[in-house]
Amino acid sequence: MGYSTKRRLLTGTILLILFLCTIHTAVADSNDISTDIVSSYKLLPEEGIVKVSKEISFSNNNAETKYWRGYYSNYNYNLPEGAIGIKSYDSENTLAFTRSPEGYYVFYFNHKVWYEESYTFHIDYELEINKNTAVFSLSEYGDNIEVTLEVPSDFDTHIGRDDYKLEEKMYSSVYTFEKGQKWDRAYTVNSVRSSPRLTLEDTAHLSERDVDIKIRYWEGEEQWAQDIMQTTVESLVLLEEKWGIAYPAEYNITITQANLTETGGYGGYNQGRSGIWLLYTSNHGILIHELAHYWTRACNFDQLWMDEGYADLYTYLVLSEMEPEEADSRRDRFLDKYKDLKDQYDYPLSDWSTPESIDGSTEERVDFGYKKAFFLTFTLYETIGINSLQEMNQKFMNSGDDIDNLDYLNIIDSVSSQDTSLIESCIYA
């Protein structure tokens, strides 16, 4: 029977040696057990893996096990999805382990850990990566944790936290998170080796002309390139339909697989005639958003919220045809995030601007602007309907001048008699 604790990740077995060796359980306090963990992550791109090694020292400080002659005999630990080649061992033998129905792993000690005793064992596993791109998590759970991450020196690496020490060696970069730092969640590592790009080409047959599409990608990312090509061709057809306007640009489209440095921290970046730079981890929603900017830029918008709000609205409308569940989930995430950030960051959309690149200090404020802009355009869509939106789009594109906030409100009034006071409030308050 498991020895119950208040923390899900750590459980064990306590045995009451009394007469017929009856087994009892009790609840341990948070200080009853402790773990020291030393974790090593090593990127091995030529082998297509990240090699992960953990040394775990488990200490039994539970006084009840002293009085009741109890001990701990197993340890629960969460491993990331996709972990392969899992091994566990101590200094003498391998450890047996199983995976629970809840998804965490149970490692069975080779020795009973009595009161004031410790037990050290190891967990090794691998995570699959591509030759030139790696996305994985530093997944750590314990009381006192040290983490090192080693990547080849020709990789551009970004980690979801920056409180590390960096040592540059001859052929690698070593990131060290010293003991005593807090690990309250998994942190994503994005690591890319920028190599000469290959090209995939195809054509989108649109309503008024054919548009040639080029996907530039790193070696080993052929599957990514094929997926991006298919999504692009399908999305362009739907964007024409939803906007009520043919593809407005006079040039073809190039999409380049990029790293965080190249996109300035954004998921994607549309550079017009120079094409779209798309983060290699970005989902279909971000790709469609960037494609939608070919239409927003033809609408003569002079306000950032119009440009971004409309791109996100039409991303939702296109995804609703391609991936309905993802469209609804994305919409709900955006609206919930708007509500969550509103009290802290609310500002008029007429005042919104974005930096050339984002970091931890600006990310949430920038994100709020995107979410408020989507809230406004989605509310307008629900209020006046897609037909009136398409009529507005024609007026935007036919305008000889840039569309400012007042122009925008006047155009709404010209196509609909619905109350749009909430829209005006979002823009100015």
Side-chain angles (χ1 to χ4, degrees):
M1 183 175 291
Y3 186 90
S4 174
T5 75
K6 288 181 180 177
R7 292 182 300 177
R8 178 183 174 193
L9 297 179
L10 296 170
T11 63
T13 301
I14 179 171
L15 176 64
L16 173 63
I17 305 176
L18 180 64
F19 298 111
L20 298 179
C21 297
T22 306
I23 298 177
H24 285 241
T25 63
V27 176
D29 292 328
S30 60
N31 295 324
D32 286 343
I33 49 180
S34 63
T35 51
D36 279 26
I37 301 177
V38 178
S39 294
S40 170
Y41 296 76
K42 188 170 185 178
L43 194 65
L44 302 172
E46 306 311 319
E47 298 180 31
I49 61 170
V50 177
K51 184 176 180 61
V52 185
S53 300
K54 296 177 181 290
E55 180 183 271
I56 302 175
S57 297
F58 174 88
S59 299
N60 177 7
N61 307 312
N62 186 353
E64 289 191 14
T65 61
K66 173 183 179 181
Y67 299 119
W68 295 102
R69 296 287 295 159
Y71 57 82
Y72 287 92
S73 62
N74 58 62
Y75 180 85
N76 294 358
Y77 198 78
N78 281 325
L79 297 182
E81 287 296 326
I84 59 175
I86 303 168
K87 300 176 183 177
S88 186
Y89 52 93
D90 58 21
S91 59
E92 299 175 354
N93 297 295
T94 59
L95 268 64
F97 61 88
T98 59
R99 189 175 186 183
S100 73
E102 292 81 7
Y104 60 86
Y105 287 79
V106 183
F107 296 89
Y108 299 96
F109 298 160
N110 290 327
H111 302 289
K112 301 169 183 177
V113 184
W114 300 92
Y115 177 59
E116 293 187 336
E117 290 185 348
S118 297
Y119 180 70
T120 299
F121 66 103
H122 302 261
I123 302 173
D124 295 345
Y125 60 89
E126 297 170 355
L127 300 170
E128 292 184 318
I129 58 172
N130 290 329
K131 181 178 179 180
N132 292 307
T133 62
V135 184
F136 58 96
S137 294
L138 303 180
S139 301
E140 301 297 330
Y141 311 93
D143 300 299
N144 199 16
I145 302 169
E146 177 183 318
V147 178
T148 59
L149 165 65
E150 184 172 3
V151 301
S153 56
D154 57 346
F155 273 69
D156 179 43
T157 300
H158 295 262
I159 307 174
R161 58 187 296 175
D162 57 8
D163 51 346
Y164 53 76
K165 290 186 175 180
L166 175 60
E167 180 185 1
E168 296 288 0
K169 296 185 176 181
M170 182 175 293
Y171 299 110
S172 66
S173 302
V174 180
Y175 302 80
T176 301
F177 298 88
E178 297 181 329
K179 284 188 175 182
Q181 295 173 239
K182 183 178 180 181
W183 291 83
D184 54 357
R185 60 183 177 88
Y187 292 88
T188 301
V189 176
N190 288 282
S191 198
V192 175
R193 174 167 52 196
S194 296
S195 58
R197 292 178 172 94
L198 306 176
T199 302
L200 176 68
E201 299 185 22
D202 204 342
T203 301
H205 304 288
L206 302 182
S207 61
E208 294 188 356
R209 72 179 185 90
D210 289 347
V211 176
D212 294 330
I213 313 296
K214 291 183 180 180
I215 310 296
R216 300 173 62 236
Y217 63 96
W218 294 305
E219 182 183 357
E221 296 290 326
E222 289 81 7
Q223 185 176 351
W224 181 92
Q226 291 283 355
D227 178 64
I228 295 301
M229 178 65 80
Q230 179 180 341
T231 304
T232 297
V233 172
E234 186 176 353
S235 297
L236 288 171
V237 173
L238 289 169
L239 282 165
E240 284 195 328
E241 175 189 323
K242 300 301 180 182
W243 279 84
I245 295 171
Y247 174 71
E250 298 177 352
Y251 45 81
N252 297 315
I253 297 174
T254 298
I255 300 173
T256 300
Q257 186 178 40
N259 59 35
L260 276 166
T261 300
E262 292 168 324
T263 64
Y266 293 94
Y269 189 64
N270 187 320
Q271 294 182 304
R273 190 178 293 274
S274 298
I276 294 171
W277 291 75
L278 189 68
L279 190 64
Y280 66 103
T281 57
S282 289
N283 56 30
H284 291 167
I286 293 176
L287 170 60
I288 298 168
H289 174 103
E290 297 307 327
L291 291 170
H293 276 310
Y294 289 115
W295 278 263
T296 65
R297 291 175 182 176
C299 282
N300 299 303
F301 294 144
D302 81 344
Q303 292 289 300
L304 177 63
W305 72 261
M306 300 176 193
D307 196 46
E308 298 299 343
Y310 268 74
D312 273 327
L313 174 63
Y314 281 92
T315 296
Y316 165 72
L317 296 175
V318 169
L319 272 180
S320 293
E321 300 286 342
M322 297 171 58
E323 303 171 26
E325 291 186 4
E326 173 57 25
D328 290 345
S329 176
R330 189 177 193 269
R331 175 201 62 200
D332 293 344
R333 288 197 311 271
F334 277 35
L335 296 178
D336 289 345
K337 193 66 173 291
Y338 165 67
K339 293 175 184 176
D340 291 343
L341 296 176
K342 191 174 187 294
D343 287 344
Q344 183 175 0
Y345 293 105
D346 199 13
Y347 49 79
L349 282 174
S350 58
D351 293 342
W352 183 37
S353 62
T354 58
E356 289 188 6
S357 62
I358 56 175
D359 54 32
S361 64
T362 59
E363 183 176 5
E364 279 201 337
R365 181 175 174 82
V366 170
D367 194 34
F368 174 77
Y370 279 95
K371 301 308 183 280
K372 186 171 183 178
F374 175 71
F375 169 77
L376 186 157
T377 55
F378 181 75
T379 300
L380 183 65
Y381 162 69
E382 288 200 313
T383 301
I384 70 173
I386 193 165
N387 290 333
S388 294
L389 280 178
Q390 290 180 348
E391 188 177 347
M392 289 178 63
N393 293 339
Q394 291 289 346
K395 295 192 174 191
F396 294 149
M397 296 191 72
N398 293 333
S399 172
D401 299 315
D402 290 342
I403 304 296
D404 62 18
N405 291 313
L406 183 58
D407 295 328
Y408 184 85
L409 293 170
N410 287 335
I411 289 175
I412 293 179
D413 290 339
S414 72
V415 302
S416 174
S417 60
Q418 297 287 335
D419 180 13
T420 56
S421 57
L422 178 60
I423 307 302
E424 185 172 356
S425 174
C426 286
I427 296 173
Y428 294 116

